[in-house]
């Protein structure tokens, strides 16, 4: 999807705000409000299908993978909805979110705390924040 850089940054900032808000909820209560995750999921799934029509299958394929991870109860429902939404709307942020969550999980396994449930949306929000920062720096260099 091609937008002018200013519009793209505005949309990414709004998406990042929702994900970071959800990450704060996940950190505090280990639960995220449905009204925060379902709109992101629906828009992201629609965008992933739109991208697949235009022969960009990575977001849709990753969404199917995330659904299978959720099905096996390795990922919470809110985490899965947010990741699917990110992969459809902002794939690089979705990738960073998965990478950050994996690094955190690996650190817990190394520390012999692998069975502990982690608030994965916190690390997804961290990855989204990193990507938003990179995009803002890149935009400031264009101006």
């Amino acid at each position: 999807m091609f937008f002018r850089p200013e519009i793209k940054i505005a949309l990414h900032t709004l998406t990042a705000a929702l994900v970071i808000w959800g990450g704060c909820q996940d950190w505090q209560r280990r639960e995220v409000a449905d009204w925060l995750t379902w709109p992101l999921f629906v828009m992201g799934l629609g965008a992933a299908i739109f991208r697949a029509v235009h022969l960009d299958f990575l977001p849709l394929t990753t969404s199917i993978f995330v659904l299978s991870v959720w099905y096996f109860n390795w990922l919470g429902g809110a985490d899965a909805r947010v990741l699917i939404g990110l992969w459809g709307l902002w794939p690089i942020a979705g990738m960073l979110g998965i990478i950050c969550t994996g690094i955190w999980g690996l650190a817990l396994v190394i520390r012999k705390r692998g069975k502990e449930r982690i608030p994965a949306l916190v690390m997804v929000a961290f990855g989204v924040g990193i990507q938003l920062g990179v995009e803002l720096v890149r935009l400031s260099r264009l101006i």
Side-chain angles (χ1 to χ4, degrees):
M1 289 180 248
F2 302 102
F3 295 107
R4 290 185 21 214
E6 303 84 25
I7 295 174
K8 191 174 183 180
I9 286 294
L11 292 173
H12 286 176
T13 302
L14 179 63
T15 303
L18 286 174
V19 173
I20 291 169
W21 191 355
C24 290
Q25 282 186 356
D26 202 14
W27 179 262
Q28 292 172 347
R29 294 184 270 163
R30 302 287 172 120
E31 188 172 311
V32 182
D34 284 341
W35 65 266
L36 199 60
T37 59
W38 277 105
L40 192 60
F41 171 76
V42 170
M43 289 186 299
L45 191 59
I49 291 169
F50 178 78
R51 287 174 185 257
V53 168
H54 295 300
L55 302 178
D56 181 9
F57 294 105
L58 184 61
L60 191 58
T61 304
T62 307
S63 297
I64 292 169
F65 170 75
V66 169
L67 277 175
S68 66
V69 169
W70 167 78
Y71 178 78
F72 288 112
N73 205 21
W74 297 337
L75 191 64
D79 305 325
R81 288 190 297 267
V82 167
L83 282 172
I84 289 169
L86 280 175
W87 270 98
L89 296 171
W90 193 10
I92 190 74
M95 182 183 71
L96 277 174
I98 287 176
I99 289 171
C100 289
T101 303
I103 289 171
W104 192 1
L106 181 63
L108 288 176
V109 167
I110 290 172
R111 293 181 59 205
K112 307 272 193 265
R113 297 172 66 184
K115 297 288 183 185
E116 183 177 321
R117 300 284 291 179
I118 63 172
L121 199 52
V122 173
M123 293 313 292
V124 172
F126 184 73
V128 167
I130 289 172
Q131 181 58 29
L132 182 64
V134 167
E135 288 187 12
L136 288 173
V137 167
R138 191 178 304 150
L139 182 66
S140 70
R141 289 185 181 170
L142 291 175
I143 295 176

